[in-house]
Amino acid sequence: MTVWFVVAVPLVMMFFALAMERVENRLRHVAVQEEEVEEFLEQARPNEVRALYGHGIGRALELFRLRRLGGRAAKLRPRKTR
């Protein structure tokens, strides 16, 4: 009985560690970066702050990124002259 215990515990711990590593990798891609939050807090507009309050940091950062990309896209896009 003790032999099974000595063999089973390390195997169970190893499989648990592998499973936790996979979970950690998925969370790492979903997690918000500290620099993004700092930039958001410095430059947020009222509608983005309302989104932060009502829907959480994910939605607020999504609006913030869209605004930043929209501004850059408008600067990069040549204007048509008539």
Side-chain angles (χ1 to χ4, degrees):
M1 183 71 174
T2 305
V3 173
W4 289 110
F5 187 72
V6 169
V7 171
V9 168
L11 287 175
V12 169
M13 298 259 312
M14 185 175 58
F15 286 121
F16 179 74
L18 289 172
M20 289 287 87
E21 183 180 2
R22 294 184 89 184
V23 169
E24 182 182 0
N25 282 336
R26 288 182 185 166
L27 289 175
R28 188 175 296 134
H29 296 294
V30 175
V32 176
Q33 302 295 323
E34 182 180 347
E35 296 83 26
E36 286 181 310
V37 174
E38 288 177 2
E39 187 177 355
F40 172 79
L41 293 174
E42 291 173 357
Q43 301 176 6
R45 291 189 176 165
N47 65 330
E48 296 161 350
V49 174
R50 279 192 296 275
L52 174 64
Y53 176 73
H55 301 285
I57 190 72
R59 176 67 178 146
L61 280 173
E62 182 181 338
L63 290 173
F64 182 67
R65 289 179 192 135
L66 286 173
R67 176 174 58 93
R68 284 192 339 199
L69 288 175
R72 288 183 187 156
K75 290 178 185 174
L76 296 174
R77 199 174 338 156
R79 293 185 180 187
K80 294 181 181 179
T81 56
R82 293 182 187 194

